[in-house]
Amino acid sequence: PPYGIDLQPQRGLTQSIVGDQNCDARELWGFTVPHAYRTLKDNSSAFFWFGWSESDWTKAVVSEWFTVKGCVVWVKNVWGIGYYLRPQHEFAWYLHKGTPPRPLEPLSNVWNFPREAAPIHSCQKPVEMMEQSIQFTQATSILDPFCGSGTTLVAAKQLGRKAVGIEISEKYCEIAVKRLAQRELFGVQP
């Protein structure tokens, strides 16, 4: 979901995020998390991505519904903008509803995946990282309620999993559809 940081992308490569003001994001998380919990099957897990400055309030929101099992650090291998410290990481809460099956192999909570060189969306994640997330949870059906340019959907398709994506921006819905179609066009199969 939007991080609540009022992201203003630099150099015109991508656009700002709808609902990314702090008050908007808090309200959106407060609305979304209970519905994500309700939608999730019993004994399953989820990842919710966030920025470091939102760790206090996002954990409070997800903890009302889920058991917080850990925090993943995504090392993006590129530096963000900043005057003092320039972040090169993001976080994800790893959450349980009930008691999901144990993963086939435990993973480090530090994930090194290079950020997309030419992202379509300001908060785009690497397909390979989303594939790892899906495989780790052993999920057969995936819901991404903030699918942006469709990266999670592409990862699910490549793994042969069912997926549903929800996105407020019509532009990004169209981009996600094109990305999914391109996987078939160029012969990339699960």
Side-chain angles (χ1 to χ4, degrees), residues 2-189:
Y3 293 176
I5 59 174
D6 191 24
L7 178 66
Q8 300 299 317
Q10 304 296 310
R11 298 180 295 280
L13 299 176
T14 56
Q15 298 177 351
S16 58
I17 305 297
V18 174
D20 195 36
Q21 297 287 330
N22 188 273
C23 61
D24 296 331
R26 285 178 187 241
E27 183 178 341
L28 190 57
W29 277 63
F31 175 81
T32 303
V33 171
H35 288 294
Y37 184 86
R38 178 185 55 78
T39 305
L40 217 61
K41 292 179 181 178
D42 289 337
N43 301 317
S44 57
S45 56
F47 286 96
F48 271 76
W49 296 90
F50 65 97
W52 72 268
S53 59
E54 291 68 54
S55 60
D56 56 344
W57 68 263
T58 58
K59 186 175 184 186
V61 172
V62 297
S63 295
E64 288 183 42
W65 295 91
F66 292 95
T67 302
V68 177
K69 296 303 286 185
C71 182
V72 171
V73 179
W74 168 34
V75 180
K76 300 189 279 190
N77 299 314
V78 294
W79 292 13
I81 57 173
Y83 293 107
Y84 301 100
L85 296 174
R86 298 179 63 197
Q88 67 177 59
H89 67 282
E90 290 181 28
F91 296 109
W93 294 120
Y94 172 58
L95 311 170
H96 280 187
K97 176 181 178 179
T99 307
R102 289 190 178 181
L104 302 175
E105 288 188 36
L107 294 177
S108 167
N109 67 347
V110 178
W111 295 3
N112 288 288
F113 290 94
R115 184 172 181 259
E116 298 286 334
I120 303 164
H121 188 280
S122 297
C123 295
Q124 187 170 329
K125 309 292 186 278
V127 171
E128 297 79 14
M129 184 171 72
M130 301 318 289
E131 286 177 342
Q132 179 170 293
S133 301
I134 292 167
Q135 289 173 317
F136 181 72
T137 65
Q138 303 174 53
T140 56
S141 299
I142 291 86
L143 171 63
D144 186 345
F146 303 95
C147 76
S149 61
T151 301
T152 303
L153 304 179
V154 169
K157 184 173 186 173
Q158 289 183 182
L159 294 171
R161 314 290 170 88
K162 296 175 186 174
V164 172
I166 301 168
E167 174 56 44
I168 193 171
S169 167
E170 187 174 340
K171 170 189 171 183
Y172 288 117
C173 287
E174 291 170 0
I175 289 170
V177 168
K178 286 179 185 173
R179 288 181 75 197
L180 289 164
Q182 286 175 340
R183 296 292 170 171
E184 290 174 2
L185 181 65
F186 294 108
V188 178
Q189 296 298 319

